[in-house]
Amino acid sequence: MSYLFDLIPFMKPRGFSIASAQSLSPNRMEICMAVVRYTTNLKIERSGICSAWLSRSSVGQPVSMFVTTGSFKFPHDRPIIMVGPGTGCALFRALIQERGVTETPPSRSSPAQSLILFFGCRNAKGDYFFEEEWSRYSNLTVITAFSRDNTSDNTTKTYVQHRITEHSARVWDLIHNEGAQFCVAGNSKNMPVQVKEALVSVVEKEGVMGRGPAYQYVEGLIKHGRYNTETW
């Protein structure tokens, strides 16, 4: 039996981004979690061990956890472009709560940090996380992509990378003229590569340059810490 346990590895900890600002909730920590459910090739229904367990847990039930430092370092003196489809918006919510200006628009003498969030999900009614909350922040612009809405044949889908290219002029102005930080968080399968390609297309179009120089421009952003990713 002891040999059998040696063959079975320990379960790895599941990481979740903190989705609340400590300044607003010093004694509470929130996460934004989707319960993992899928069907195997043998048509067997499965669910994520950690997410399913948390969804079944009752209020007050102890949970073993630890906190680690994230990889993002957000600037205070320039705009931030955030790309957070699905639960990728969680860590950006903490930033928005911390930096967000509610109700009263910022004045010219006291400008607020401009925050732009590209958020994507399947449909607006099913999983548009924090929709009502976003509307309270006067210095936040949310640009949405609902991949399953308005697609009668279910083949033409809109994702965050499509919205980035649609708003190419604004993205270019923020990055090139205002020194914006570009941050990407979410599923690591295809999205990060597609978002990077979309930004290269923005630079190519708005910067009036070839594909090669556009790639070099984006690589320069990465080198100087202005293009950051945190994916899982």
Side-chain angles (χ1 to χ4, degrees):
M1 181 64 71
S2 61
Y3 178 71
L4 176 62
F5 284 127
D6 287 339
L7 295 176
I8 303 174
F10 286 103
M11 288 182 60
K12 295 181 179 181
R14 267 54 171 182
F16 297 93
S17 298
I18 297 174
S20 56
Q22 187 176 14
S23 60
L24 298 182
S25 305
N27 300 315
R28 182 178 66 186
M29 186 174 64
E30 300 177 8
I31 64 173
C32 179
M33 180 196 75
V35 179
V36 177
R37 293 190 177 92
Y38 60 97
T39 303
T40 68
N41 292 333
L42 298 177
K43 307 302 181 182
I44 300 174
E45 298 291 331
R46 298 291 190 190
S47 59
I49 295 175
C50 183
S51 61
W53 179 81
L54 283 174
S55 70
R56 296 192 302 265
S57 300
S58 57
V59 176
Q61 182 173 340
V63 176
S64 298
M65 58 165 288
F66 58 91
V67 179
T68 60
T69 302
S71 62
F72 283 156
K73 294 182 179 179
F74 298 113
H76 289 266
D77 57 350
R78 57 182 184 269
I80 301 177
I81 300 173
M82 303 165 285
V83 183
T87 56
C89 71
L91 64 88
F92 296 134
R93 180 186 182 233
L95 170 70
I96 291 166
Q97 285 186 341
E98 185 73 32
R99 308 275 180 89
V101 177
T102 59
E103 299 179 358
T104 304
S107 64
R108 290 187 177 181
S109 60
S110 180
Q113 184 180 37
S114 177
L115 303 172
I116 296 180
L117 171 65
F118 286 91
F119 173 78
C121 61
R122 288 176 177 267
N123 54 75
K125 293 184 177 180
D127 44 9
Y128 188 177
F129 304 132
F130 313 116
E131 178 183 5
E132 295 183 1
E133 181 178 330
W134 298 145
S135 64
R136 298 202 299 265
Y137 299 105
S138 60
N139 63 326
L140 171 67
T141 300
V142 180
I143 299 172
T144 57
F146 303 119
S147 61
R148 300 302 189 273
D149 286 353
N150 302 319
T151 55
S152 57
D153 58 359
N154 204 33
T155 58
T156 305
K157 300 174 182 177
T158 301
Y159 297 104
V160 287
Q161 60 267 26
H162 301 128
R163 296 300 191 214
I164 290 171
T165 55
E166 287 174 8
H167 293 80
S168 61
R170 186 174 188 186
V171 171
W172 171 252
D173 180 62
L174 288 171
I175 290 178
H176 188 69
N177 298 321
E178 298 189 34
Q181 191 93 351
F182 195 90
C183 302
V184 183
N187 191 293
S188 62
K189 188 176 181 180
N190 297 314
M191 183 272 296
V193 172
Q194 293 168 344
V195 166
K196 184 179 178 181
E197 288 293 325
L199 185 58
V200 170
S201 295
V202 168
V203 174
E204 181 181 15
K205 175 185 176 183
E206 302 297 336
V208 192
M209 61 181 75
R211 195 71 177 177
Y215 267 109
Q216 294 175 4
Y217 186 99
V218 173
E219 289 298 325
L221 296 178
I222 297 172
K223 180 179 179 180
H224 292 93
R226 290 179 52 203
Y227 187 112
N228 310 107
T229 60
E230 190 168 300
T231 58
W232 51 88

